[in-house]
Amino acid sequence: MRIGELAARVGTTTRTLRYYESRGLLPARRDGNGHRTYDEGDVRLLEQIRTLQDFGFELEETRPFVECLRSGRPAGDSCPASVAVYRRKLAELDALIGELGAVRDQVGAQLARAERAMAELAADAGAPGGPEPRCELKGMSG
């Protein structure tokens, strides 16, 4: 199949396919007329790349999976290099989850303080000279 057919089949653009070719992820085969040609194996490569990118993998992180498929493996993740990328990505995700948990705890604490302050203001609303509203956003970094 030609580049336009492949792009339509996998739901991308010819520009993206040319970019993948320039990065060495998609083979650059040509027919007698100089047109790029592709086969079902290329469809599988592109589906692997797209799936990984949907999961948050950078384009370069897909290379071991592509190389694994090119080596004749039925799945792009059945090679040691692919497994190593999975491990690194999992560790990265675990770290991000930890960071998000810490941010969530900080936001929860700020919410609890804000709710207490609102309750105090409501209780003191009828008392003359009650406390002035104040912002308690301290210790938050951006």
Side-chain angles (χ1 to χ4, degrees), residues 71-124:
S71 74
R73 302 281 178 112
D77 60 1
S78 59
C79 294
S82 303
V83 170
V85 172
Y86 274 151
R87 285 187 179 124
R88 280 194 307 271
K89 182 55 81 175
L90 194 57
E92 178 185 314
L93 291 169
D94 287 342
L96 288 171
I97 289 167
E99 290 173 23
L100 286 172
V103 169
R104 186 191 187 292
D105 291 346
Q106 288 177 340
V107 170
Q110 289 300 124
L111 173 60
R113 278 192 286 279
E115 289 174 336
R116 281 193 308 273
M118 282 178 42
E120 289 172 11
L121 288 173
D124 293 338

Side-chain angles (χ1 to χ4, degrees), residues 13-65:
T13 64
T14 58
R15 182 177 180 182
T16 297
L17 297 181
R18 286 187 196 100
Y19 178 70
Y20 291 170
E21 181 182 316
S22 75
R23 301 290 308 204
L25 293 170
L26 188 62
R29 293 183 302 271
R30 306 274 180 164
D31 66 14
N33 295 327
H35 296 112
R36 290 172 172 88
T37 61
Y38 303 96
D39 59 25
E40 291 301 314
D42 299 319
V43 172
R44 284 186 36 228
L45 289 176
L46 293 167
E47 288 171 345
Q48 180 82 66
I49 290 170
R50 172 169 265 177
T51 298
L52 291 167
Q53 287 193 305
D54 287 347
F55 291 157
F57 287 70
E58 298 294 327
L59 183 60
E60 193 56 34
E61 290 176 312
T62 70
R63 186 174 300 279
F65 298 87

